[in-house]
Amino acid sequence: GAVVSQHPSWVICKSGTSVKIECRSLDFQATTMFWYRQFPKQSLMLMATSNEGSKATYEQGVEKDKFLINHASLTLSTLTVTSAHPEDSSFYICSAREAGDVQPQHFGDGTRLSIL
Amino acid sequence: GQNIDQPTEMTATEGAIVQINCTYQTSGFNGLFWYQQHAGEAPTFLSYNVLDGLEEKGRFSSFLSRSKGYSYLLLKELQMKDSASYLCAVKDSWGKLQFGAGTQVVVTP
């Protein structure tokens, strides 16, 4: 089945640090990838839709200058949390979808980000 | 606005059957997905419905009624490893997945 790899799985860093998270589709090409954030005991909230070769589309309330998304190839999207602060601590999950509108999204293993 | 409702928690014993209901009101409808999520892990895809009716996949089945804005996920022959959160998600007109808050299923011996 479709496999999505997300790296790193766990990050602990000081306030003010920028953190880059990678999302790769390992066995399929993904023109579209999605970035979600999940707080404890809450559901997944879509942050942005990442499109290969074009600018990402951000959801309302998500700062595009703080959460930089780059989708440089059909198998890789990156999310950079710039100048992270403790309130950015969360579980970040990416997903990718194979070509075809009826295909399900497949999720990476998630990145747990803790800002001290 | 978007509204996807599912119960917060359900408890059942090993070997039993549990049905998780999901009702939705979204901007457009392009399919309904069920995902399983264990604590601290990412969701894994379970099933997909776009037409009315029942989809069966081993111990898991999912049902959809578009006219009622309703779906359920049926888990049969429950096992301890089925203890997890089950997420109902609707794909809206823009192709985005709108997630419910999840139903925590607790399987007891």
Side-chain angles (χ1 to χ4, degrees):
Chain A
V3 178
V4 176
S5 171
Q6 188 173 338
H7 178 82
S9 55
W10 196 289
V11 179
I12 302 174
C13 57
K14 293 181 180 179
S15 186
T17 307
S18 290
V19 178
K20 180 188 275 191
I21 304 169
E22 291 188 349
C23 181
R24 294 180 185 272
S25 56
L26 296 186
D27 53 359
F28 66 98
Q29 293 185 329
T31 53
T32 304
M33 291 185 176
F34 303 86
W35 287 96
Y36 294 85
R37 184 163 60 179
Q38 186 177 35
F39 291 105
K41 299 201 174 181
Q42 294 186 25
S43 192
L44 282 77
M45 297 301 297
L46 180 66
M47 298 175 67
T49 302
S50 169
N51 301 295
E52 188 266 336
S54 64
K55 290 183 180 179
T57 305
Y58 290 82
E59 295 300 298
Q60 196 172 9
V62 178
E63 299 175 57
K64 61 181 180 181
D65 294 330
K66 180 164 186 65
F67 299 100
L68 301 178
I69 291 172
N70 186 303
H71 195 156
S73 76
L74 285 171
T75 58
L76 173 64
S77 175
T78 60
L79 167 69
T80 302
V81 184
T82 60
S83 187
H85 292 286
E87 58 266 27
D88 298 324
S89 298
S90 188
F91 191 47
Y92 292 86
I93 312 174
C94 73
S95 72
R97 190 178 66 209
E98 296 177 75
D101 208 39
V102 297
Q103 296 296 328
Q105 290 182 25
H106 297 280
F107 288 84
D109 288 334
T111 298
R112 190 158 302 283
L113 177 62
S114 296
I115 307 298
L116 305 177
Chain B
Q2 320 279 29
N3 203 29
I4 299 174
D5 289 319
Q6 50 183 130
T8 305
E9 185 172 311
M10 302 182 76
T11 301
T13 53
E14 214 172 353
I17 298 173
V18 71
Q19 177 175 313
I20 306 169
N21 296 324
C22 173
T23 57
Y24 62 89
Q25 287 178 307
T26 56
S27 302
F29 178 85
N30 282 304
L32 187 142
F33 297 80
W34 283 96
Y35 286 86
Q36 179 192 61
Q37 186 179 26
H38 285 99
E41 298 179 13
T44 55
F45 169 72
L46 290 179
S47 71
Y48 168 65
N49 296 71
V50 65
L51 299 176
D52 291 351
L54 188 68
E55 293 284 339
E56 295 186 86
K57 226 186 225 186
R59 294 189 299 113
F60 296 168
S61 303
S62 58
F63 171 83
L64 174 68
S65 168
R66 288 171 295 171
S67 62
K68 295 181 180 176
Y70 167 71
S71 171
Y72 68 72
L73 178 70
L74 196 69
L75 286 62
K76 302 179 213 173
E77 300 168 20
L78 277 175
Q79 302 175 9
M80 297 300 291
K81 67 178 182 180
D82 296 330
S83 291
S85 182
Y86 291 84
L87 308 176
C88 172
V90 174
K91 185 188 285 190
D92 64 18
S93 300
W94 293 274
K96 299 176 186 176
L97 282 184
Q98 305 292 340
F99 282 87
T103 298
Q104 187 66 42
V105 171
V106 178
V107 182
T108 59

